[in-house]
């Protein structure tokens, strides 16, 4: 290609190597001017087919640039810096853009896109429009710093176009580098400004240099002078950068009212620029104007013009998600995070964290301390350590925080749970101090919670005392997960007060007999009879079962367990005479349940009907639908 690529460099050998390698596909004349007189630089340039020159630095970037133009074989020039490079994936596209340009008239100056790799920014591309391609017969450089190509003849009618070519740049990657280069450039810019004090481009660059150096009062001075200059035009490629720098200087100087006023004013100048609306959203956030920030970010994603790619999409959506997450509106936050592209890592990370946060806030675990025993409470809290949910201990006893861990203590009687149920909008999981959560499938529980139904969640509960008394472990379904105001706490247990969907939740609780005995069960309930049964107090258990069974609903699970336990209590206490009239009715309801057939087998065995007893045990094993494993295996 009949093109010369001109580079000036100083002590940036690794970056220069990257740059030169990225230019190889052009097969152009490569001119490298070294202001550092570095032997390693010479070696790199020679090995990568460039032509090496040196230039004595004189605090003037334009002088070095123009010297590089003088060494070029061809009139058509592309200028690139050693900290820039062309992406190999864009070779064909870039070559076509260059060939298209050099066929144009010689009075045309071509700009390309400088894609700045921003400090601490892993996503998005900042596209600065920079003049880089021209004929050296008609253009040369002016300016000691932030030098620009200008026509050699002042009266010529030149024009500027933009070609679809990207130069990637990381020369300002890092706050320390930005400050160092700003300090270096500032001295040179101020020298130029002495000779041309109203030059709007120089005023802009001086203001930006002071801004990068955090000298906000001086930055504001030059930005104000720039904006007041009659030659300033909001259509200039750097016009928005001036406005942004001005706003940033005002904000850092505490002039918040003026920031708000100027945001409104600049909105009319950049109505379709995503960068303005995105940055406006950021300014509004810093000023705690949440509603205005939301509106600004929403405007950003509707704009068709953008300089920093991402401010018109991923960045704006991400900030909207963060705002709504902060406000506690997880549904809206999730919606905006999902609008980000799937390869936009920050949004995907926040979305995952949001899902976990939503899950963790979906349930409050209430530990009702009826025992008021430190060791019992520690046992329960230890079994709950892996649960991500908020945990509240309701107790009149004060416990040290070292025992509570991450749980919170509310010094109230456990009966105060009713007040919490009236107010809560999430799910409530209830355990009693001294109980242990021995099994829980969080994944399955999450699926239940995400239904957001008004539900009554029944888990499996067992008492280790049963093994001592009965020789086996028997489970009960007990309501432990409740939905807000659809439930209340009565007689030691959760109870539904309105229509709810009954759901088996994937958890198992070990509830020691002393815990069960501490609960204020109503003596008319089957639960109280079961407590006596578990204790081995079969005579009294039978008395309370008989009272319950006089007027029970045989369609309930607790009635099935009450019948089965009543039969066993009769056998164990040798009080079987009362059973015969009930058996026909019970069999009609429960013949297809293993637990009933198991108890019936023990009754038949007691009255010496061995063959019928064996048949009942075999039927229990065939049905195998009991919560008691030993019943499913009985023969």
């Amino acid at each position: 290609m009949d093109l010369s690529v001109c580079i000036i460099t100083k002590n940036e050998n690794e970056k220069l190597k990257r740059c030169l390698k990225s230019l190889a596909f052009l097969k152009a004349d490569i001119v490298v001017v070294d202001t550092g007189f570095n032997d390693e630089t010479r070696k790199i340039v020679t090995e990568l087919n460039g032509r090496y020159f040196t230039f004595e630095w004189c605090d003037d970037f334009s002088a070095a640039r123009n010297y590089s133009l003088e060494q070029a074989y061809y009139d058509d020039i592309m200028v690139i810096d050693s900290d820039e490079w062309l992406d190999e994936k864009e070779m064909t596209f870039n070559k076509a853009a260059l060939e298209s340009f050099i066929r144009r008239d010689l009075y045309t100056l071509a700009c390309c896109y400088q894609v700045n790799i921003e400090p601490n920014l892993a996503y998005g591309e900042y596209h600065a429009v920079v003049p880089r391609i021209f004929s050296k017969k008609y253009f040369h450089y002016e300016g000691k710093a932030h030098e620009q190509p200008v026509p050699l003849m002042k009266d010529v009618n030149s024009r500027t176009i933009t070609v679809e070519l990207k130069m990637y740049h990381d020369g300002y990657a890092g706050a320390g580098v930005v400050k160092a280069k700003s300090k270096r450039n500032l001295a040179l810019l101020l020298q130029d400004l002495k000779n041309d004090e109203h030059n709007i481009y120089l005023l802009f660059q001086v203001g930006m240099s002071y801004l990068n150096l955090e000298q906000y009062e001086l930055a504001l001075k030059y930005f104000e002078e720039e904006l007041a200059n009659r030659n300033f035009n909001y259509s200039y490629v750097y016009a928005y950068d001036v406005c942004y720098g001005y706003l940033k200087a005002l904000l850092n100087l505490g002039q918040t009212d003026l920031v708000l006023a100027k945001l409104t004013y600049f909105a009319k100048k950049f109505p379709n620029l995503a960068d303005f609306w995105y940055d406006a959203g950021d300014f509004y956030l810093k000023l705690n104007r949440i509603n205005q920030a939301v509106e600004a970010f929403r405007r950003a994603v509707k704009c068709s013009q953008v300089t920093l790619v991402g401010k018109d999409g991923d960045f704006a959506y991400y900030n909207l998600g963060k705002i709504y997450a902060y406000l506690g509106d997880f549904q809206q936050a999730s919606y905006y995070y999902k609008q980000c592209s799937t390869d936009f890592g920050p949004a995907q990370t926040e979305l995952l964290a949001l899902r976990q946060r939503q899950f963790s806030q979906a349930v409050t675990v209430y530990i009702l301390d009826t025992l008021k025993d430190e060791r019992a409470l520690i046992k329960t809290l230890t079994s709950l350590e892996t649960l991500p949910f908020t945990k509240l201990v309701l107790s009149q006893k004060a416990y040290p925080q070292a025992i509570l861990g991450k749980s919170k203590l509310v010094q109230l009687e456990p009966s105060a749970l009713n007040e919490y149920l009236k107010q809560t909008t999430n799910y409530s999981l209830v355990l009693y101090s001294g109980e242990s959560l021995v099994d829980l499938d969080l994944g399955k529980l999450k699926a239940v919670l995400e239904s957001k139904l008004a539900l009554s969640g029944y888990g499996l509960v067992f008492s280790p005392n049963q093994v001592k008394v009965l020789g086996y472990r028997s489970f009960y379904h007990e309501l432990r997960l409740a939905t807000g105001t659809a439930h209340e706490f009565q007689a030691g247990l959760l109870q539904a007060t309105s229509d709810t969907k009954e759901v088996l939740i994937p958890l198992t609780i070990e509830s020691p007999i002393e815990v069960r005995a501490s609960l204020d069960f109503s003596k008319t309930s089957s639960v109280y009879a079961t407590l006596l049964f578990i204790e081995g107090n079969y005579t009294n258990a039978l008395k309370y079962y008989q009272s319950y069974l006089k007027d029970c609903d045989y369609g309930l699970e607790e009635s099935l367990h009450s019948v089965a336990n009543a039969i066993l209590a009769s056998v164990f206490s040798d009080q079987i005479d009362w059973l015969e009239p009930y058996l026909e009715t019970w069999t009609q309801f429960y013949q297809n349940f293993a637990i009933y057939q198991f108890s019936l087998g023990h009754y038949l065995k007691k009255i010496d009907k061995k063959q019928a007893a064996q048949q009942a045990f075999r039927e229990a094993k065939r049905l195998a639908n009991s919560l008691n494993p030993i019943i499913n295996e009985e023969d």
Side-chain angles (χ1 to χ4, degrees):
M1 184 183 294
D2 293 343
L3 176 75
S4 289
V5 179
C6 294
I7 304 168
I8 63 172
T9 188
K10 181 181 179 181
N11 300 331
E12 288 192 305
N13 290 332
E14 289 304 312
K15 290 187 176 183
L16 176 63
K17 190 184 299 183
R18 175 185 63 188
C19 176
L20 293 174
K21 286 180 178 179
S22 78
L23 300 172
F25 76 98
L26 293 174
K27 296 181 180 178
D29 169 39
I30 308 294
V31 174
V32 179
V33 172
D34 182 8
T35 64
F37 295 84
N38 188 300
D39 288 338
E40 181 64 24
T41 302
R42 178 194 297 272
K43 183 180 177 182
I44 290 170
V45 173
T46 303
E47 288 178 351
L48 293 174
N49 302 315
R51 294 191 295 124
Y52 178 81
F53 301 89
T54 59
F55 181 79
E56 188 75 35
W57 181 245
C58 59
D59 288 338
D60 189 334
F61 278 95
S62 286
R65 293 285 186 202
N66 289 328
Y67 178 76
S68 72
L69 301 185
E70 291 171 11
Q71 313 314 312
Y73 283 152
Y74 302 107
D75 289 339
D76 287 315
I77 304 294
M78 180 176 82
V79 173
I80 190 169
D81 287 334
S82 54
D83 55 12
E84 296 175 330
W85 70 97
L86 303 181
D87 194 308
E88 62 180 12
K89 292 180 291 187
E90 299 164 354
M91 286 181 184
T92 303
F93 194 76
N94 289 339
K95 192 171 184 179
L98 286 167
E99 288 176 340
S100 174
F101 168 73
I102 61 179
R103 294 193 186 103
R104 295 174 182 266
D105 64 86
L106 298 177
Y107 295 101
T108 302
L109 174 67
C111 297
C112 66
Y113 296 105
Q114 185 189 59
V115 182
N116 284 290
I117 307 303
E118 290 281 282
N120 305 317
L121 184 63
Y123 298 86
E125 296 178 348
Y126 178 74
H127 289 184
V129 180
V130 291
R132 292 300 181 86
I133 312 163
F134 51 84
S135 169
K136 70 174 185 177
K137 291 177 65 176
Y138 295 94
F139 292 88
H140 75 148
Y141 275 92
E142 291 183 3
K144 292 181 180 296
H146 292 291
E147 64 285 1
Q148 297 289 300
V150 297
L152 283 164
M153 295 178 288
K154 300 301 181 184
D155 297 329
V156 71
N157 290 322
S158 63
R159 65 181 183 135
T160 302
I161 65 169
T162 301
V163 296
E164 295 295 327
L165 183 148
K166 293 179 184 177
M167 292 181 181
Y168 292 84
H169 174 240
D170 62 3
Y172 285 85
V177 176
V178 172
K179 284 191 174 183
K181 290 191 175 183
S182 295
K183 188 175 182 179
R184 177 201 66 189
N185 292 339
L186 181 59
L188 302 176
L189 289 165
L190 288 173
Q191 287 181 36
D192 278 343
L193 198 57
K194 284 181 181 179
N195 301 321
D196 192 0
E197 61 183 14
H198 298 299
N199 185 301
I200 57 174
Y201 183 73
L202 290 173
L203 290 170
F204 158 60
Q205 292 293 358
V206 170
M208 290 303 296
S209 296
Y210 279 124
L211 188 69
N212 292 333
L213 293 170
E214 299 178 2
Q215 297 183 37
Y216 299 116
E217 289 185 357
L218 286 170
L220 183 60
K221 170 190 171 184
Y222 284 96
F223 286 134
E224 287 178 333
E225 190 173 341
E226 170 89 357
L227 291 168
N229 193 302
R230 63 181 182 180
N231 293 320
F232 178 77
N233 192 309
Y234 285 95
S235 65
Y236 290 161
V237 292
Y238 58 86
Y240 173 63
D241 293 326
V242 174
C243 297
Y244 175 78
Y246 173 60
L247 289 167
K248 188 173 180 181
L250 286 174
L251 184 68
N252 279 281
L253 292 170
Q255 298 189 39
T256 56
D257 289 342
L258 192 52
V259 172
L260 292 171
K262 290 301 180 181
L263 281 170
T264 302
Y265 177 76
F266 291 149
K268 300 172 185 176
K269 302 297 183 180
F270 308 103
N272 198 33
L273 181 64
D275 303 73
F276 167 75
W277 289 106
Y278 176 88
D279 293 333
D282 191 45
F283 282 118
Y284 283 130
L285 279 181
K286 289 183 171 79
L287 296 172
N288 202 30
R289 302 292 184 107
I290 303 297
N291 292 336
Q292 287 167 285
V294 167
E295 289 306 309
F297 288 128
R298 285 176 176 167
R299 282 285 297 269
V301 300
K302 296 177 181 178
C303 294
S304 60
Q305 297 174 10
V306 65
T307 303
L308 177 57
V309 176
K311 287 187 173 181
D312 58 341
D314 288 343
F315 293 158
Y317 285 129
Y318 176 71
N319 274 346
L320 284 166
K322 293 281 282 185
I323 290 171
Y324 280 107
Y326 168 77
L327 294 173
D329 190 339
F330 299 139
Q331 186 175 356
Q332 279 283 73
S334 179
Y335 168 80
Y336 283 113
Y337 286 141
K338 287 177 181 177
Q339 301 309 303
C340 296
S341 56
T342 54
D343 61 349
F344 186 69
Q348 301 310 313
T349 299
E350 290 294 337
L351 195 56
L352 178 61
L354 183 62
R355 288 168 180 156
Q356 293 172 338
R357 187 177 173 189
Q358 285 178 285
F359 181 45
S360 66
Q361 294 188 357
V363 176
T364 299
V365 182
Y366 294 95
I367 300 101
L368 308 184
D369 183 32
T370 56
L371 293 178
K372 301 183 180 67
D373 181 86
E374 187 174 291
R375 285 177 299 177
L377 180 60
I378 291 173
K379 177 183 176 182
T380 301
L381 292 176
T382 301
S383 76
L384 300 174
E385 278 180 344
T386 58
L387 283 187
F389 310 125
T390 301
K391 305 173 188 75
L392 290 183
V393 178
L394 295 184
S395 176
Q396 284 195 313
K397 182 175 179 178
Y399 291 100
Q401 197 60 47
I403 289 174
L404 295 168
K406 293 182 179 179
S407 302
K408 298 178 183 178
L409 175 67
V410 181
Q411 283 190 258
L412 293 172
E413 279 284 3
S415 59
L417 176 63
N418 257 332
E419 294 306 311
Y420 283 90
L421 291 176
K422 291 176 184 177
Q423 300 172 30
T424 187
T425 57
N426 62 354
Y427 292 103
S428 302
L429 176 63
V430 176
L431 285 93
Y432 302 93
S433 178
E435 291 186 329
S436 298
L437 186 63
V438 296
D439 184 41
L440 172 64
D441 188 324
L442 272 176
K444 291 181 179 178
L445 180 60
K446 186 176 182 181
V448 172
L449 298 178
E450 285 178 345
S451 70
K452 297 183 180 178
L453 296 172
L455 58 84
S456 295
Y458 288 83
L460 294 182
V461 180
F462 72 89
S463 171
N465 193 69
Q466 292 171 306
V467 179
K468 296 177 183 178
V469 175
L470 301 174
Y472 60 80
R473 177 181 291 176
S474 183
F475 296 90
Y476 299 91
H477 285 135
E478 193 163 283
L479 177 56
R480 292 302 185 101
L481 186 71
T483 314
T485 55
H487 297 82
E488 63 182 8
F489 186 65
Q490 290 183 348
L493 289 174
L494 278 174
Q495 297 182 27
T497 57
S498 58
D499 289 339
T500 57
K501 182 178 181 180
E502 294 186 0
V503 177
L504 294 180
I505 53 176
L507 62 78
T508 305
I509 298 168
E510 179 187 276
S511 185
I513 192 67
E514 58 269 24
V515 174
R516 311 298 288 173
S518 72
L519 305 183
D520 186 24
F521 293 139
S522 168
K523 293 187 177 181
T524 62
S525 70
S526 65
V527 182
Y528 182 71
T530 299
L531 171 63
L532 296 173
F533 180 77
I534 294 172
E535 288 177 333
N537 188 348
Y538 302 122
T539 299
N540 280 327
L542 180 58
K543 181 177 70 172
Y544 286 104
Y545 276 132
Q546 287 173 325
S547 175
Y548 168 77
L549 292 170
K550 285 179 182 177
D551 189 27
C552 75
D553 181 350
Y554 284 139
L556 299 177
E557 181 185 333
E558 65 175 311
S559 301
L560 164 62
H561 282 281
S562 296
V563 165
N565 288 345
I567 294 173
L568 290 176
S570 299
V571 171
F572 298 156
S573 63
D574 203 22
Q575 299 180 62
I576 59 174
D577 295 341
W578 72 284
L579 290 173
E580 189 65 34
Y582 292 93
L583 289 175
E584 184 176 351
T585 300
W586 291 345
T587 300
Q588 178 183 348
F589 278 99
Y590 302 133
Q591 60 182 335
N592 292 322
F593 292 90
I595 191 173
Y596 174 72
Q597 292 291 349
F598 173 80
S599 299
L600 181 62
H602 279 282
Y603 166 72
L604 294 171
K605 186 177 179 180
K606 179 72 175 179
I607 63 176
D608 208 27
K609 291 186 177 181
K610 294 181 181 179
Q611 188 173 353
Q614 288 299 318
Q615 178 60 34
F617 287 135
R618 282 195 291 272
E619 184 66 3
K621 184 176 180 180
R622 184 189 71 80
L623 291 167
N625 57 9
S626 171
L627 294 175
N628 185 341
I630 199 171
I631 291 175
N632 298 333
E633 299 296 327
E634 186 69 29
D635 198 333

